[in-house]
Amino acid sequence: MTPTLILKPGTAWSDAWQRCLAVAPEAFRDDRVLTLWNAGWRPDGRVLPAVSPVDGSPVAGPPRLDGTTAHRAVRAALDQHRAWRHVPLPERRARVTATLDALTEHRRLLALLLVWEIGKPWRLAQADVDRAIDGVRWYVDGIEPMIDGRAPLDGPVSNIASWNYPMSVLVHALLVQALAGNAVVAKTPTDGGVACLTLASALAAREGLPVTLLSGSGSDLSKALVRAPEIGCVSFVGGRDTGAAVATAVADLGKRHVLEQEGLNTWGIWNFSDFDALAALVPQLFDYGKQRCTAYPRFVVQRDLFDALLAAYLPAVRTLRVGHPLAVEQPDDPLPEPDLGPLINAAKAKELRDQVAEAIERGAVPLHRGDPAEARFLPGQDTSAYVQPVTLLHPPPSSPLHHAEPFGPVDTVVLVDTEAELLAAMNASNGALVATLSTDDRATYDRLAPHIRAFKVGHGTPRSRGDRDELFGGLGASWRGAFVGGELLVRAVTRGPAGERPPGNFPEYRLLP
């Protein structure tokens, strides 16, 4: 008999909100977050209602600003930038270090906000916070040679990022950009994370960092955040549709930019035998329900190895469990570690379920579908944002699951008979961020890997984004502008000697193991 679950005491959204009011009263007011610009917190904008993907309950919504207010904020950020760029490096380092210390002090609260706002399981939410802190400390310790002979940009850096990694992607970028001498402007993702980002920004602003935090629709704010002449660089992480519009705008203006866009990351299997090792990786490949830019939702498999793949893959995927990220049996139990929590919202969950159903109706073969009866939920809980893991064989070419990233716990398998078919299927989305090829023969890997259109290609192991000592990029339609990571992250937001060739989409930067 399944035990009745309860919410872990002290982890309710109301508990997290009261802690936010106590920690940063300047940034949180009653039941809303404020907007940060011109070094002050303001009740600007109309607050949009929002619900948690965890259980459909109300959470803080983003205040929707208009374009005029956003442009005023960007102009104020330029004034901050002109002052901050002259602050000596030792002082910038001290203020960023103090911010990191404050983030460390409140890491559990930041993680709890991520659980409620974007549905991250507790372990992954903590990891997102810790990766931001640890990653920026790496830059603090080694910044001198990275900026030697370089200067801040002529205007602030504008950051527009997706909702899935508010800390380790967005806050990490903001703090490194500020460390390099730039004022920073950030747009909160519409789908979630506004309270977490507000708290992090409040802690940074207290230490004197030139941070601007705005909320609103992309259509309302893009003129200020992308096209405004005051902006020195645009950093974008998100989907291809929005990214294409941003890419066109920055190209027309000749503005510096870093645009990371989705791609269908693939895992190829060719003349391979170590399926036990692959099986051990399958559960971790479902981290955060595959709502990651470096997730692997597509397996391209040599037909003769299909039976071996199924024998290894199916037992592994059947171990995955879905559940409420904060539900326990007893008050003193540790927080649970479900493999999968909710997707970002109920609409995305419905879209993905509809895509799966349509693909099956048009000929895809279901290889695995998780059992909802095994999920761990609170009594009467809204579960509309949860999707059980699904694996499909041969989604039809007309299905989005054939050529686009599902951004959810859906794997697809494509069988091939020749190396040419293998490469064609692995390159179905015209560029990706990562890919992996599992083959026993290193010579085969060395021969095929250069033809896989992904920035990072692994030999039997997954590749990741990496925020410290490894640069990151993409190929084809998955990337535009400067590569980031390590020294190149700093180079992307600073000016070097006259005539310097900026980092960018050049073949010499492609990463193989």
Side-chain angles (χ1 to χ4, degrees):
M1 182 176 178
T2 303
T4 300
L5 302 178
I6 60 171
L7 185 68
K8 174 76 173 178
T11 66
W13 170 257
S14 58
D15 297 321
W17 187 255
Q18 289 302 314
R19 289 165 63 187
C20 288
L21 291 171
V23 171
E26 70 273 27
F28 297 84
R29 179 177 300 174
D30 299 328
D31 60 349
R32 65 165 292 170
V33 298
L34 303 184
T35 297
L36 173 61
W37 63 276
N38 198 23
W41 291 95
R42 306 164 188 275
D44 294 328
R46 177 173 58 88
V47 177
L48 299 178
V51 298
S52 171
V54 171
D55 61 3
S57 60
V59 294
R64 185 165 184 155
L65 271 64
D66 57 58
T68 300
T69 303
H71 202 174
R72 290 175 60 201
V74 168
R75 287 184 175 179
L78 177 60
D79 292 336
Q80 288 181 296
H81 180 83
R82 288 169 172 166
W84 179 253
R85 62 183 301 181
H86 297 296
V87 173
L89 176 60
E91 183 177 345
R92 298 202 305 264
R93 178 194 280 118
R95 294 189 184 189
V96 171
T97 298
T99 300
L100 296 174
D101 292 343
L103 293 173
T104 302
E105 179 183 354
H106 299 291
R107 61 183 288 272
R108 290 179 66 86
L109 175 55
L110 291 162
L112 184 58
L113 292 171
L114 291 181
V115 174
W116 282 109
E117 292 193 283
I118 61 173
K120 280 207 167 185
W122 177 246
R123 174 181 60 83
L124 298 180
Q126 291 186 101
D128 191 27
V129 176
D130 292 342
R131 283 183 60 206
I133 296 169
D134 295 343
V136 178
R137 287 197 192 279
W138 183 88
Y139 285 92
V140 168
D141 293 340
I143 188 63
E144 285 95 341
M146 299 184 196
I147 63 170
D148 185 34
R150 308 190 66 79
L153 299 177
D154 293 330
V157 183
S158 177
N159 294 267
I160 304 169
S162 56
W163 46 265
N164 52 345
Y165 286 90
M167 293 295 298
S168 62
V169 172
L170 185 51
V171 171
H172 176 276
L174 298 178
L175 295 181
V176 175
Q177 292 162 6
L179 180 64
N182 301 288
V184 293
V185 180
K187 176 186 176 299
T188 64
T190 303
D191 288 319
V194 64
C196 177
L197 289 170
T198 298
L199 178 58
S201 297
L203 298 176
R206 283 183 181 176
E207 303 303 333
L209 295 188
V211 178
T212 297
L213 186 66
L214 309 176
S215 299
S217 72
S219 59
D220 290 338
L221 304 189
S222 62
K223 186 174 181 180
L225 299 183
V226 177
R227 294 182 173 273
E230 293 88 350
I231 296 296
C233 177
V234 176
S235 176
F236 172 87
V237 179
R240 288 193 179 184
D241 291 343
T242 303
V246 174
T248 299
V250 294
D252 289 345
L253 298 168
K255 194 183 295 292
R256 281 202 184 210
H257 55 281
V258 183
L259 272 66
E260 176 190 329
Q261 300 164 174
E262 63 188 350
L264 182 60
N265 306 317
T266 57
W267 195 299
I269 299 174
W270 189 262
N271 293 340
F272 177 68
S273 62
D274 192 1
F275 284 95
D276 287 342
L278 180 61
L281 291 171
V282 168
Q284 75 181 60
L285 295 180
F286 276 85
D287 267 358
Y288 196 29
K290 301 214 173 196
Q291 298 178 107
R292 299 177 291 119
C293 66
T294 53
Y296 287 83
R298 165 69 53 82
F299 288 88
V300 181
V301 185
Q302 187 176 6
R303 191 178 304 273
D304 288 347
L305 299 178
F306 183 45
D307 58 339
L309 171 72
L310 289 185
Y313 175 92
L314 290 178
V317 77
R318 287 168 182 155
T319 66
L320 296 174
R321 295 294 177 263
V322 177
H324 189 301
L326 302 171
V328 295
E329 296 181 22
Q330 300 295 329
D332 293 334
D333 288 350
L335 284 168
E337 295 191 8
D339 300 291
L340 306 176
L343 298 193
I344 184 59
N345 54 49
K348 173 60 182 177
K350 181 182 184 304
E351 174 188 281
L352 198 55
R353 285 192 291 264
D354 289 347
Q355 288 179 354
V356 169
E358 183 181 34
I360 293 173
E361 183 179 333
R362 294 183 180 182
V365 178
L367 301 176
H368 169 75
R369 283 184 276 199
D371 184 356
E374 297 180 354
R376 290 170 53 89
F377 294 127
L378 299 178
Q381 175 193 330
D382 182 339
T383 61
S384 57
Y386 293 79
V387 173
Q388 290 287 331
V390 176
T391 308
L392 301 178
L393 175 66
H394 281 303
S398 60
S399 169
L401 298 176
H402 178 79
H403 55 79
E405 184 180 20
F407 230 62
V410 176
D411 274 348
T412 59
V413 179
V414 173
L415 304 183
V416 295
D417 297 298
T418 67
E419 291 181 354
E421 291 177 345
L422 174 82
L423 293 173
M426 293 188 71
N427 294 331
S429 69
N430 183 26
L433 303 176
V434 297
T436 292
L437 178 60
S438 290
T439 180
D440 293 342
D441 181 30
R442 179 72 199 200
T444 299
Y445 173 83
D446 291 340
R447 178 166 48 82
L448 296 178
H451 301 286
I452 299 171
R453 294 202 33 91
F455 183 69
K456 292 185 179 183
V457 182
H459 185 195
T461 57
R463 302 307 307 273
S464 65
R465 192 178 199 275
D467 283 327
R468 299 185 189 178
D469 55 353
E470 186 179 45
L471 61 116
F472 184 66
L475 291 182
S478 69
W479 195 267
R480 295 289 186 276
F483 293 134
V484 297
E487 183 180 355
L488 288 184
L489 175 54
V490 175
R491 284 181 60 190
V493 295
T494 54
R495 292 184 293 109
E500 176 190 65
R501 186 187 190 192
N505 267 5
F506 307 125
E508 61 264 31
Y509 285 111
R510 189 161 184 259
L511 289 191
L512 297 174

